[in-house]
Amino acid sequence: MPGILITANRLEDGVVVWLATDFTWTETRSRAGIFDADTVQTARHSAAGDQTNNFVTAIYEVMVDGKADVSAREAIRANRGPTIQAPPDRHPSIR
Amino acid sequence: MYKYDTIDRDFLDRRSAQFRDQVARRLSGELSEDEFKPLRLQNGLYLQLHAYMLRVAIPYGVLSSRQLRGLASIARDFDRGFGHFTTRQNIQFNWIKLVETPDILDRLAELDMHAIQTSGNCIRNVTSDPLAGATDDEVENPMVWCEVIRQWSTLHPEFAFLPRKFKIAVSAGAEDRAATGFHDIGLRLVKARSGEVGFRVLVGGGQGRTPRVAQQLTPFLPKKNLLSYLEAILRVYNVAGRRDNIYKVRLKILVEAMGIEAFSDAVNMEWVGIRDSVVELPLEEFERIQRHFARDTLPPADLTSEILEAYCGKGHAFERWMRHNVLPHYDPGYANVCISIKALGRPPGDASASEMERIADLADRYGMGEIRFTYSQNVVIPHVRRDQLIRVFEGLGDIGLNGGENGLIGDMIVCPGLDYCNLANARSLPLADRIFQHFADAGLRDEIGKIRLNISGCINACGHHHAADIGILGVNKKGVENYQISLGGRAGEDAAVGRILGPSFDEHRVPDAVAAIVGLYLHRRKPDETFGDAVVRLGVDVFKRELYAAA
Ligand code: SF4
């Protein structure tokens, strides 16, 4: 379903969150609400309230086509981390 | 290296307590995001793609083994177990929680470290030569002057709200290993014919959207006048910098718009009023700082080592590492070891906590407990006895960091790009790995020899692509990550900005494009001619034709 996602960072830890259909914030992209022209106004209002209440910051909206995240940027955010392997912290020979 | 005294420590403790209070007030809503943002930026805390990012200052890239272990523990306790070495010789952590930042700043303060002036429109952490004080090609130790500038610029009230960020680099070597030509102010220590040492002062260099090589402001500034002269430059910039236009706000644009002569006149006019005044560094203070950098007495080293000889001439990886990563020291019995934080399958410049700890251990056991971060996102352990090099090599082998890549095509400078950065157009880290894979044969990398390939994920150019033999810039082409290639940039004494070759490529085609460029070089080079020199001789257009004929 094409529509609009509302996303932000949680203020206290900066973690990427999306607004769910029940207007709570989720860390899981697949649980993000996809709002249409009818629902998006209320969703925006709720999100803005959470910004005023210092729960989230840096809110913005993303258009989606219903299949995949359109931009690489949003795909990487949804992935909750980089697309490459972090350097190894366990080296067999030293611990 | 410089050791903090009680004044420095008190200052950091108070600063950390102040930020703790600011964070609490932000979380309670007493401070709005707009009010808080400049405060967090003054403490190196950004909001990035995945979370907050904390950039910690490593003054001119020098730190102790204890400090490096401390950074490793921060990576482990507050982040995902690794950190990223930046081109400005700092380190940054990627998943920092705002609520925990005051604790991290306390932890840093215990280590005599902080994150002050690692962001915002102020004089940033001064950068320098990673071999400073450990090489015999320098006029004198530039770290003394870096520390002078650090103390002068830290919370300098007049320069806390500059038009834009401001970067100063100092070098003293015959070879400029600090890219002074690409800084707002580049200081090169030089010796006059009279034997007097002073500074050659360059201004108006920088990368970003409008890359410029710095121009000479004065060929010789007496050392005693350094601070008044810096003040004069900063004052002119502070007043005349284009605060009204974000694209014209850096010093490089002001210098260009005024012309170097008019800029120089303005600086001199400001300078006459403060030259030889209280603004200058008092001699006693200079001597106090200088004492911190007195050369350690190195125990005499055995020059003939059986172990060394056993490995040499056998094409072993050790020999390759010795050739590329073991750098000369002023004492022939010693060396400076460059650790390549670049290898196939790992993000350039990223190091895990255990890797940092191992490097700290090696610096303690085989060096003098001191570590340097380099502009090219590598690490140097200075003052290593030559007859211990094999031990260092083996110790690094345990963590997979004993590759001899220094200065070769695998030694790419790469910014975090779209995998981490809020401003990015395209990913740089996976592209770096694709390119590395293309040149996976170490023999081929050796055959290509010295070459600088740098990647930036956007026009801000944190990956210094303008200053690379082969520069790669991430662009957004109708929503798809694409990469523009430029050729002919240089960062050293003969700094130059690379020239864009033509239309961009997608990530799959970049490695072939790089291979075509490198292939032409291998085919046409003269004996002992580096890639950079071949580009100058043949001209960029020859490479451009080859690239787009093949494409
Ligand atoms: S060059 Fe651009 S993408 Fe890379 S770190 Fe800098 S701002 Fe981010």
Side-chain angles (χ1 to χ4, degrees):
Chain A
M1 180 179 68
I4 296 171
L5 297 179
I6 299 180
T7 181
N9 296 80
R10 202 158 52 209
L11 179 67
E12 64 160 33
D13 57 8
V15 165
V16 172
V17 285
W18 292 267
L19 195 68
T21 45
D22 64 358
F23 298 160
T24 59
W25 294 92
T26 173
E27 293 181 32
T28 312
R29 165 65 182 82
S30 59
R31 297 213 194 102
I34 299 174
F35 303 101
D36 60 21
D38 291 337
T39 52
V40 76
Q41 283 306 342
T42 335
R44 271 180 198 145
H45 189 74
S46 172
D50 289 336
Q51 179 147 284
T52 315
N53 293 333
N54 309 303
F55 186 72
V56 292
T57 185
I59 298 178
Y60 64 93
E61 297 179 5
V62 186
M63 300 288 291
V64 288
D65 64 5
K67 283 169 247 141
D69 279 298
V70 180
S71 69
R73 174 194 162 91
E74 290 310 316
I76 291 166
R77 285 176 89 243
N79 183 47
R80 304 175 55 74
T83 58
I84 27 85
Q85 282 279 310
D89 197 27
R90 297 262 172 275
H91 290 279
S93 48
I94 60 169
R95 66 184 65 225
Chain B
M1 59 186 283
Y2 184 75
K3 301 246 169 15
Y4 272 26
D5 57 24
T6 48
I7 299 175
D8 298 293
R9 295 210 172 95
D10 280 355
F11 164 72
L12 277 197
D13 288 346
R14 275 184 281 129
R15 174 78 175 197
S16 176
Q18 181 189 47
F19 191 60
R20 184 177 292 280
D21 176 60
Q22 289 163 344
V23 169
R25 288 193 286 145
R26 173 67 191 106
L27 290 169
S28 75
E30 197 184 316
L31 290 177
S32 70
E33 187 63 21
D34 285 348
E35 289 166 327
F36 179 67
K37 189 176 169 189
L39 301 175
R40 71 164 156 76
L41 286 178
Q42 281 165 20
N43 289 286
L45 192 65
Y46 289 74
L47 186 57
Q48 280 291 20
L49 200 61
H50 304 291
Y52 293 99
M53 177 270 274
L54 181 68
R55 184 179 297 146
V56 176
I58 314 291
Y60 34 96
V62 180
L63 72 172
S64 67
S65 53
R66 173 176 167 264
Q67 289 174 322
L68 186 56
R69 275 191 209 95
L71 292 173
S73 78
I74 288 172
R76 194 171 280 134
D77 297 347
F78 297 99
D79 205 303
R80 296 193 182 172
F82 67 97
H84 177 75
F85 301 147
T86 78
T87 49
R88 305 214 64 257
Q89 302 179 293
N90 291 322
I91 187 169
Q92 53 198 41
F93 298 109
N94 302 300
W95 282 276
I96 294 302
K97 297 183 173 74
L98 177 61
V99 279
E100 290 180 347
T101 309
D103 293 341
I104 302 174
L105 294 190
D106 281 350
R107 189 82 82 86
L108 287 172
E110 279 167 31
L111 297 163
D112 298 343
M113 298 180 94
H114 59 74
I116 300 164
Q117 288 177 214
T118 58
S119 74
N121 297 335
C122 53
I123 302 172
R124 302 288 186 88
N125 185 25
V126 55
T127 54
S128 190
D129 181 347
L131 301 185
T135 165
D136 64 1
D137 82 337
E138 66 189 14
V139 174
E140 64 175 53
N141 188 342
M143 288 193 293
V144 177
W145 295 102
C146 290
E147 181 57 28
V148 168
I149 295 169
R150 185 189 78 79
Q151 298 198 11
W152 161 80
S153 64
T154 301
L155 302 198
H156 190 311
E158 194 176 333
F159 307 131
F161 296 97
L162 291 171
R164 194 70 184 93
K165 58 185 167 186
F166 200 93
K167 300 174 182 175
I168 303 177
V170 188
S171 85
E175 185 190 341
D176 178 6
R177 288 173 290 256
T180 53
F182 281 109
H183 286 73
D184 292 286
I185 298 179
L187 298 171
R188 289 190 191 152
L189 279 151
V190 289
K191 192 176 265 177
R193 236 176 267 143
S194 65
E196 186 190 349
V197 173
F199 294 98
R200 183 171 163 229
V201 182
L202 312 173
V203 282
Q207 302 200 41
R209 187 175 297 273
T210 326
R212 291 290 179 272
V213 171
Q215 304 180 57
Q216 178 171 296
L217 190 58
T218 178
F220 191 86
L221 173 74
K223 290 194 292 188
K224 67 178 172 63
N225 293 121
L226 178 67
L227 293 187
S228 64
Y229 200 70
L230 291 179
E231 292 253 355
I233 298 172
L234 264 298
R235 282 184 182 182
V236 171
Y237 174 57
N238 211 5
V239 172
R242 290 286 303 273
R243 289 173 193 263
D244 61 317
N245 186 332
I246 182 76
Y247 298 119
K248 298 188 174 170
V249 69
R250 293 293 296 269
L251 178 67
K252 59 192 171 186
I253 308 291
L254 181 68
V255 170
E256 190 170 77
M258 290 177 73
I260 188 72
E261 272 158 33
F263 183 79
S264 166
D265 289 346
V267 168
N268 285 329
M269 235 154 78
E270 196 59 51
W271 193 35
V272 285
I274 51 174
R275 183 178 185 170
D276 297 319
S277 74
V278 289
V279 168
E280 306 290 10
L281 180 72
L283 184 65
E284 322 74 80
E285 188 54 17
F286 170 73
E287 286 169 349
R288 184 187 73 83
I289 291 175
Q290 195 180 34
R291 277 196 294 277
H292 287 263
F293 297 95
R295 274 188 183 176
D296 293 305
T297 333
L298 300 171
D302 181 6
L303 271 174
T304 53
S305 164
E306 286 169 25
I307 315 168
L308 254 182
E309 280 156 16
Y311 275 89
C312 283
K314 295 200 173 145
H316 188 274
F318 176 62
E319 197 201 339
R320 192 167 173 266
W321 181 78
M322 287 285 293
R323 192 161 64 231
H324 301 303
N325 286 49
V326 173
L327 310 173
H329 189 273
Y330 64 78
D331 182 327
Y334 282 76
N336 297 305
V337 168
C338 173
I339 304 170
S340 294
I341 312 293
K342 328 273 171 88
L344 199 56
R346 57 177 299 144
D350 279 6
S352 68
S354 60
E355 290 165 354
M356 290 184 226
E357 284 160 350
R358 170 54 65 102
I359 292 170
D361 291 347
L362 293 171
D364 278 341
R365 288 178 66 177
Y366 304 112
M368 306 289 284
E370 193 181 306
I371 293 118
R372 315 278 178 87
F373 287 180
T374 80
Y375 143 80
S376 51
Q377 298 173 300
N378 292 315
V379 170
V380 165
I381 302 181
H383 318 300
V384 177
R385 266 172 54 176
R386 285 199 161 262
D387 58 0
Q388 305 283 351
L389 286 168
I390 183 69
R391 308 254 171 271
V392 178
F393 175 77
E394 284 167 350
L396 290 171
D398 291 343
I399 52 171
L401 287 181
N402 62 350
E405 300 304 328
N406 181 37
L408 303 182
I409 199 162
D411 185 19
M412 294 170 250
I413 294 178
V414 187
C415 84
L418 191 54
D419 281 290
Y420 291 99
C421 177
N422 237 337
L423 305 171
N425 286 322
R427 277 171 285 179
S428 0
L429 299 171
L431 182 69
D433 205 50
R434 270 178 199 279
I435 294 172
F436 211 134
Q437 276 169 31
H438 209 93
F439 296 93
D441 173 9
L444 174 59
R445 297 199 297 280
D446 285 350
E447 195 192 332
I448 298 164
K450 288 279 175 227
I451 187 168
R452 176 132 296 294
L453 190 157
N454 296 350
I455 310 177
S456 303
C458 82
I459 194 64
N460 288 325
C462 305
H464 292 207
H465 67 279
H466 293 302
D469 289 317
I470 301 179
I472 300 181
L473 164 66
V475 293
N476 180 332
K477 197 171 170 186
K478 300 193 184 95
V480 180
E481 294 164 276
N482 257 251
Y483 301 88
Q484 224 170 42
I485 301 180
S486 59
L487 224 58
R490 285 168 182 244
E493 194 64 28
D494 46 357
V497 174
R499 225 180 86 197
I500 297 167
L501 289 181
S504 58
F505 298 87
D506 69 27
E507 59 183 314
H508 304 283
R509 291 174 60 214
V510 173
D512 283 332
V514 171
I517 292 168
V518 169
L520 181 71
Y521 157 67
L522 291 176
H523 182 62
R524 301 276 302 267
R525 73 176 167 192
K526 290 184 167 166
D528 294 328
E529 189 177 42
T530 62
F531 181 88
D533 290 344
V535 170
V536 171
R537 178 175 60 85
L538 295 167
V540 169
D541 288 330
V542 170
F543 288 86
K544 180 175 173 168
R545 276 197 296 278
E546 173 80 9
L547 178 62
Y548 290 97

